Amino acid sequence: MSQISLTFPDGNSRDYDAGVTPAEVAASISNSLAKKAISATVSGNHWDMQWPINEDASISLHTMKDDAQALELIRHDFAHVMARAVQEIWPDVKVTIGPVIDNGWYYDFDREEPFTPEDLGQIEAKMKEIINKREPVTTEIWDRDRAVKFYEANNEPYKVELIEAIPGDEPLRMYWHGHWQDLCRGPHLQHTGQLPADAFKLMSVAGAYWRGDSDRAMLQRIYGVGFQNKEQLKKHLHMLEEAAKRDHRKLGREMDLFHMQEEAPGQIFWHPNGWTVYTELQDYMRRQQKRGGYVEVNTPQVVDRKLWEASGHWEKYQEHMFIVEVDEEHAREKSVNALKPMNCPCHVQIYNQGLKSYRDLPLRMAEFGSCNRYEPSGALHGIMRVRGFTQDDGHIFCREDQIESETAEFISFLSKIYKDLGFESFSVKFSDRPEMRAGSDEVWDKAETALLAATRAAGIEPELNPGEGAFYGPKLEFVLTDAIGRDWQCGTHQVDFVLPERLDANYIGEDGAKHRPVMLHRATLGSFERFIGILIESHAGKLPFWLAPRQVVVASIVSDADDYVQQVVDALTAKGIRAEADIRNEKINYKVREHSVGKVPVILACGMKEVEDGTVSMRRLGEKHSKVLPLDEVAAALAGEATPPDLA
RNA sequence: GCUGCUGUAGCUCAGAGGUAGAGCACUCCCUUGGUAAGGGAGAGGUCGAGAGUUCAAUUCUCUCCAGCAGCACCA
């Protein structure tokens, strides 16, 4: 038998017979390592303890102390054990797939009856039973025919379909967890007893389409979370509880920012506090846009379907538009209109007024564009996904050779703004051509190449998001995450060769001939609604002082200080600070508590001592102690903090 | 839109086949209190909407509406 050489992390190497498994390698080192080992990395690949190694390689053996490998294996094995538990309890349930995700795993099942929360408890108990049996995990390679026949015999149509979708004729790997088996790429743990029976929890059941296709069967998905030990599980569950406190829907109520109600689903009633945040942010954006060389415009809300047909939106998005029909009773002719679902076609209309010269390009046109989209009911989510919203929209009409510089400029424009708003880092995704699209492949090639090159030139290597582009062009998405880690697209930058063509936009070039401009669609915040939702969650309601709707509450400790409180409020207001008096007949403790819950950043308490000395007792949100300071000093300092970052 | 769950006072929630309760918030009174809830009294609800079963429905059934989680969608 031929020999191979395995190199260990410490640089030493040893010879083994070809076909040696990591389990045998571990055993050759020590008994305890053989027991503790969970998997190996062999020449960079995560390797099952049972898989043979046939050539020279580097090898490192993993134990539960190696977080990345341990968590992957634990969660993956939990998924299998859960599926086995489900089939042991309900043998008629059909299995599908069960991947590892952040913090845990899920597994999709086909079962007539829905799983209930009580079922989850039963499944957990069965899982613990399986884990405690410490049964070996074993693997075998099968050919396709055998696997297909096996699953057909076991009445597992989803597995048959999965196998048939695997290209080529490669042999398939099967895994056994005790007597239960599943088609699986692996790797897995050595035996079920390596799973921490006290470090997992089944979280929820939800529907999910088979293969992510809404035309196919709706399966039942069970989500679980799993960790190396009980403490980490506890920590995770605690983190979820804390995250729930940052939910913008909850804080929106506590801070009296906005509300929503049945009569206007997916639309927001902004209260004075929330509207203060909104307008403060809008003022900031307006200043940024001016500096960025944009001209601001405004366009109609109700627009005849003819324009949407011309732009191509009618065909693709008709179902998702609010339709406004005007009948003969109201007008001489019947017309069908749509509430503007986006601003681009309207901006082209402005562009198309008068002849444009190449000297006019790039033309950067911005609008705080109010849009309405009839979003599917299930998509609505607080103020993050709504049916009525305002984009900080903009379209840059430019020449092809300006795409790169305009993209670079936008990325730096956006980065500066995100930084000002407290987001030092964000992820960038590049989405290319979707299946249903307008424009020829040549045009798409051109647009994708240009956008990607420009992004890389700006020093960003985006994550690829295949097939997720807009119907008229590829896009960059600037993604932020909410309190519990859900991703939300905020900023976007899209290259579009299609709309200018459809809506016949052009300019006169240096050569005196007509040319087609390129349109760059871009939004920085995305929509004020979503961005404010993210802002609230990421700051846990403690907005930066300049954005805080109520910046200072001046509270009297005794009623003899009421007049002084009013003087303090006046002094702060004169400096542009949003200050209000609280001279209610309540104890200072009560006032402090109430305004802390309301996330007011600064409370200035005034008793007779402060009245006599011309001072205030300042307490900042979250701090335990207060400081007595001269009023002038406090007013000057707070005025500085109240200045937006771009004006400071 | 799909699967599942939920809908009772402004908020958080309890409740039962015989037309409802708590805490906080609100109003009034007492209290002038030094940094996260002082005390008392009062007011407040077509129990999401509609239909059905029943002597009787807020409670059971169905339909619709809205919300929550996930999926699908996201110009």
Side-chain angles (χ1 to χ4, degrees):
Chain A
M1 187 175 272
S2 65
Q3 293 273 296
I4 58 170
S5 165
L6 297 182
T7 309
F8 292 88
D10 62 5
N12 291 326
S13 47
R14 270 169 83 166
D15 288 346
Y16 291 92
D17 289 340
V20 69
T21 65
E24 289 158 356
V25 173
S28 76
I29 296 169
S30 84
N31 256 336
S32 69
L33 181 60
K35 268 191 202 162
K36 275 199 310 205
I38 53 172
S39 65
T41 292
V42 175
S43 294
N45 299 310
H46 198 192
W47 210 264
D48 195 286
M49 293 300 283
Q50 304 170 60
W51 295 350
I53 306 166
N54 293 315
E55 53 197 50
D56 290 356
S58 63
I59 182 169
S60 63
L61 292 159
H62 301 300
T63 64
M64 281 298 172
K65 287 193 176 131
D66 298 312
D67 290 349
Q69 290 80 10
L71 289 173
E72 184 194 326
L73 290 171
I74 287 170
R75 289 165 184 166
H76 198 173
D77 281 274
F78 270 134
H80 281 241
V81 168
M82 180 174 85
R84 170 174 159 184
V86 166
Q87 286 199 315
E88 283 186 13
I89 303 171
W90 300 280
D92 57 322
V93 172
K94 295 175 185 34
V95 291
T96 65
I97 52 165
V100 170
I101 53 174
D102 281 353
N103 301 313
W105 74 91
Y106 66 76
Y107 206 111
D108 288 346
F109 300 98
D110 185 11
R111 179 187 181 221
E112 287 290 314
E113 292 279 293
F115 290 110
T116 65
E118 294 73 52
D119 289 342
L120 294 190
Q122 199 185 341
I123 297 167
E124 277 183 5
K126 179 64 83 178
M127 287 172 70
K128 285 178 184 165
E129 208 177 282
I130 293 168
I131 291 167
N132 289 331
K133 283 183 185 162
R134 302 175 68 83
E135 289 183 320
V137 177
T138 55
T139 177
E140 278 179 22
I141 305 282
W142 284 14
D143 65 46
R144 294 167 80 92
D145 285 351
R146 182 176 172 199
V148 167
K149 279 191 191 117
F150 176 85
Y151 281 121
E152 279 173 347
N154 282 287
N155 193 21
E156 294 283 11
Y158 297 97
K159 288 288 179 191
V160 172
E161 190 180 331
L162 282 176
I163 293 170
E164 280 165 354
I166 297 172
D169 273 331
E170 358 166 341
L172 304 170
R173 190 173 285 284
M174 305 294 265
Y175 265 93
W176 270 257
H177 282 69
H179 65 83
W180 189 86
Q181 67 67 239
D182 199 357
L183 168 75
C184 184
R185 223 179 274 127
H188 277 286
L189 295 168
Q190 299 202 66
H191 60 86
T192 62
Q194 284 186 316
L195 280 172
D198 57 355
F200 78 97
K201 183 170 161 62
L202 303 187
M203 303 297 282
S204 60
V205 191
Y209 296 109
W210 170 233
R211 316 217 88 191
D213 183 343
S214 58
D215 292 330
R216 307 203 57 179
M218 173 69 67
L219 305 169
Q220 294 190 61
R221 175 171 298 179
I222 301 179
Y223 285 92
V225 294
F227 297 88
Q228 284 132 299
N229 54 54
K230 200 170 157 183
E231 286 64 43
Q232 277 164 311
L233 172 67
K234 261 172 92 174
K235 212 170 109 192
H236 176 73
L237 297 176
H238 181 252
M239 187 276 291
L240 287 180
E241 274 173 37
E242 289 301 306
K245 293 181 189 161
R246 305 211 308 267
D247 191 310
H248 74 280
R249 293 163 295 191
K250 182 176 157 71
L251 287 167
R253 203 168 36 240
E254 289 171 358
M255 296 169 71
D256 195 15
L257 300 175
F258 57 83
H259 85 273
M260 303 175 87
Q261 64 187 49
E262 255 188 61
E263 289 80 357
Q267 295 172 89
I268 304 167
F269 294 80
W270 286 104
H271 296 15
N273 287 344
W275 195 243
T276 299
V277 179
Y278 191 113
T279 52
E280 204 51 65
L281 192 56
Q282 194 175 53
D283 291 348
Y284 166 84
M285 284 308 298
R286 184 168 272 136
R287 292 191 299 269
Q288 294 299 325
Q289 286 176 356
K290 255 181 208 159
R291 262 175 235 167
Y294 289 83
V295 289
E296 189 176 327
V297 300
N298 195 264
T299 60
Q301 288 307 124
V302 181
V303 177
D304 195 287
R305 67 185 272 184
K306 288 186 203 110
L307 184 61
W308 309 114
E309 281 168 348
S311 70
H313 291 93
W314 187 264
E315 190 192 353
K316 189 162 194 295
Y317 290 112
Q318 191 184 345
E319 299 289 296
H320 301 288
M321 292 190 196
F322 280 99
I323 306 298
V324 182
E325 295 199 26
V326 178
D327 59 33
E328 284 91 347
E329 266 184 54
H330 296 87
R332 215 168 289 161
E333 280 180 55
K334 191 177 153 145
S335 69
V336 177
N337 309 277
L339 288 187
K340 163 171 86 172
M342 25 87 76
N343 311 296
C344 3
C346 293
H347 287 187
V348 179
Q349 304 314 303
I350 293 180
Y351 176 89
N352 281 352
Q353 295 296 305
L355 275 184
K356 292 290 179 295
S357 150
Y358 70 95
R359 295 174 199 276
D360 296 324
L361 307 185
L363 174 57
R364 307 191 185 113
M365 192 184 288
E367 175 175 5
F368 296 125
S370 288
C371 297
N372 288 274
R373 296 179 184 173
Y374 189 76
E375 299 285 12
S377 56
L380 302 179
H381 182 93
I383 67 172
M384 306 272 222
R385 183 85 182 268
V386 286
R387 287 185 176 155
F389 56 95
T390 300
Q391 298 175 318
D392 62 321
D393 204 1
H395 295 91
I396 301 168
F397 297 87
C398 65
R399 299 190 312 259
E400 256 177 67
D401 63 314
Q402 292 169 324
I403 294 176
E404 187 167 323
S405 58
E406 287 301 311
T407 301
E409 190 159 334
F410 177 70
I411 291 174
S412 94
F413 178 83
L414 176 142
S415 305
K416 161 94 173 51
I417 289 168
Y418 277 29
K419 198 174 165 194
D420 274 355
L421 296 171
F423 300 98
E424 293 286 337
S425 69
F426 44 87
S427 68
V428 182
K429 294 181 181 168
F430 174 76
S431 303
D432 61 11
R433 66 192 77 185
E435 262 178 51
M436 197 175 155
R437 60 180 181 263
S440 68
D441 284 354
E442 292 75 55
V443 163
W444 274 90
D445 287 342
K446 208 157 64 173
E448 286 171 359
T449 311
L451 183 56
L452 200 51
T455 308
R456 288 183 174 142
I460 289 177
E461 185 55 48
E463 189 185 319
L464 295 182
N465 220 351
E468 297 292 315
F471 76 90
Y472 49 70
K475 66 176 180 181
L476 284 183
E477 296 176 34
F478 300 87
V479 176
L480 296 173
T481 48
D482 70 11
I484 65 165
R486 285 178 288 222
D487 279 351
W488 295 93
Q489 179 199 304
C490 291
T492 182
H493 180 88
Q494 309 167 9
V495 178
D496 180 5
F497 287 89
V498 175
L499 259 194
E501 181 80 32
R502 286 187 169 239
L503 299 177
D504 195 28
N506 49 57
Y507 67 91
I508 309 297
E510 233 170 322
D511 57 1
K514 271 190 183 179
H515 296 274
R516 202 59 87 192
V518 181
M519 227 176 138
L520 304 177
H521 304 241
R522 36 106 298 156
T524 312
L525 306 181
S527 79
F528 284 96
E529 290 75 7
R530 176 174 296 178
F531 204 89
I532 290 172
I534 296 276
L535 266 179
I536 294 168
E537 298 203 354
S538 72
H539 290 99
K542 298 173 194 167
L543 294 173
F545 197 77
W546 68 280
L547 278 173
R550 305 168 65 207
Q551 295 174 320
V552 179
V553 168
V554 187
S556 57
I557 295 170
V558 293
S559 51
D560 284 346
D562 288 358
D563 290 344
Y564 180 68
V565 162
Q566 195 52 53
Q567 286 170 32
V568 173
V569 168
D570 292 344
L572 296 172
T573 307
K575 290 200 176 282
I577 297 162
R578 291 185 283 274
E580 58 198 86
D582 183 355
I583 54 171
R584 290 175 304 168
N585 177 13
E586 295 291 352
K587 290 196 170 163
I588 191 65
N589 301 37
Y590 182 91
K591 294 181 184 181
V592 165
R593 180 188 145 78
E594 187 178 282
H595 299 125
S596 297
V597 168
K599 302 284 189 280
V600 177
V602 171
I603 297 172
L604 302 180
C606 302
M608 289 322 286
K609 220 162 26 166
E610 286 75 15
V611 173
E612 279 153 27
D613 302 345
T615 56
V616 290
S617 168
M618 177 160 82
R619 181 195 160 106
R620 288 187 184 265
L621 182 58
E623 284 181 5
K624 288 266 184 303
H625 301 289
S626 53
K627 254 188 222 150
V628 178
L629 296 163
L631 172 58
D632 295 350
E633 198 179 299
V634 168
L638 293 181
E641 289 179 44
T643 308
D646 61 316
L647 299 178

